[in-house]
Amino acid sequence: MRFCILAILLTSGWACTSLNNQHQQETTQNTKTPNIIIIYADDLGYGDVGAYGATELATPHMDQLAREGMLFTNGHATSATCTPSRYGLLTGVYPWRNKDAKILPGDAPLLIDTSQMTLPKMLREKGYHTGIVGKWHLGLGRGKVNWNQHITPGPNEVGFDHSYIMAATQDRVPTVYIENGYVAHLDPADPIAVDYVKNFPGEPTALEHPEMLKMKWEHGHNNSIVNGIPRIGFMKGGASAKWVDENMADTFLVKAQQYIELHKNTPFFLYYALQQPHVPRTPHPRFAGTSGLGPRGDVIVEADWCIGELMKTLEKEGLLENTLIILSSDNGPVLNDGYYDDAVEKLGKHKPAGPLRGGKYSLFEAGTRVPFITWWKGHIQPGKSDALVSQLDILSSLAAMVGSEVRTRDSQQLLAVLMGKSQEGRADLVLEASSRTAYRQGDWVLIPPYKGPAVSAQVNIELGNLPKYGLYNLRDDLGQQNNLAESHPEKLKEMIDSFATVKRN
Ligand code: NG6
Ligand code: CA
């Protein structure tokens, strides 16, 4: 009997230690391999978020992430347009190294080499389940895509276990969702055809049928009409598969929530690539008119709501303490990007670029300096960081976190910075806008001379095309108003030399 009690005590004691060990192991496991969600807005500007100074627009959920996490004042997208930025984010390689990394049409081939290292591949090697929901815009297939069959290669071939995407942009055909390489809800009897050069006989275009439009085009965007909205590119068929623009935010949100619920028991990486506030801006009727700034403001409010709903899902599933969130945007803001949608007329006092000069497409700061927030309950202490960081750095930094040796060419390991434990960011960064590059080092920015209009006639944004070198010191001149190239010849030379060295390497 005595023996028995002793045995029980011993056994239960052992069980207890074992449980403790297991718990400890799980805790270390969790602190090394939390779930990771990158929430990536499309064209959201530095000044579009309350936490970054917006006063005319309410973004309570983004603000909450900023308040409880690290807000980066010097966080950069890799490029001032979408495709190259996403390329940089997912590969950790500067897009200007790849001549094809430009805004892609909806029928472009896959831009990322399937043998190339990517963020989802690196995480998958470390046991993550990986998913993308939302905007892709990195090309699909190898050339002529047959949209009625398995569309490959695509996200699933560059590291994502699961994908639910739009191929390119909301304003480009094909206007359908693609789930793991198959067009969702496609009726084989009504096959899809896509062409970016010529229309299909008998299909209405915006040029010929303006009476069919519920949203008018201002520049470009005058090809096929889908859901009363004129698009870039021509498309035929696929009626049952076509998205309803006003439901897109809800659709992607639900897919993102389902992804989380399905994979809550493994570490997961979710790339939640929101389509807002890119054109065409089509808020759900619940949000139409809510911002007072027109549809552009409304879809930012809608995107913010989606983020709040996603957080609720994390809370409901008990994942709040175990999920690292990075919120950012693929490039800076634009008002008129090709449709008449009141973005300019109803802007009022709102400043989408905040204090920065330029916007989307621009080499000036507002092209690439974007909202950049990291959040991880209990692991990232609330704060603000002025460290220079790029979305390029996410790959190597997260690799370090999960214990992976992977480091890619241009991605710096800045985990401590992203976690708010160090202010030692990058020493320098190459900025890109439509294949033009500029160079940041410390507080200095060098913009080489480029031919081309100073201001884009289409989008009315200062592009950063200067007749001579531009040299700015952002410490005293965040708005880049004072070109110091002539008054600081030595600094100019030093910057030109450093830039040449960096681009050679
Ligand atoms: C431009 C489009 C613009 C937008 C952009 C891509 C025209 C005239 N303009 O070519 O509306 O779609 O491409 O934006 O067609 S991005 O955020 O995906 O880079
Ligand atoms: Ca974009």
Side-chain angles (χ1 to χ4, degrees), residues 86-122:
R86 285 160 207 260
Y87 179 84
L89 170 73
L90 293 183
T91 65
V93 175
Y94 276 127
W96 47 264
R97 298 195 193 278
N98 182 335
K99 63 172 180 28
D100 297 324
K102 302 185 168 72
I103 298 174
L104 296 177
D107 63 348
L110 180 66
L111 180 64
I112 301 174
D113 197 305
T114 51
S115 65
Q116 207 171 334
M117 181 44 72
T118 64
L119 178 58
K121 272 190 195 174
M122 179 279 290

Side-chain angles (χ1 to χ4, degrees), residues 346-367:
K346 296 204 169 154
L347 185 64
K349 285 188 286 186
H350 180 56
K351 289 195 170 60
L356 310 177
R357 186 171 179 181
K360 182 176 179 178
Y361 309 108
S362 178
L363 265 186
F364 286 124
E365 281 297 286

Side-chain angles (χ1 to χ4, degrees), residues 43 82 135 137 171-172 219 221 232 278 337 360-361:
D43 298 1
C82 166
K135 178 176 179 177
H137 209 189
D171 53 352
R172 282 174 175 75
H219 60 267
H221 306 94
I232 307 172
H278 194 282
D337 208 10
K360 182 176 179 178
Y361 309 108

Side-chain angles (χ1 to χ4, degrees), residues 1-16:
M1 178 69 181
R2 211 179 263 170
F3 170 78
C4 222
I5 292 172
L6 192 67
I8 290 168
L9 279 176
L10 276 177
T11 338
S12 55
W14 174 82
C16 213

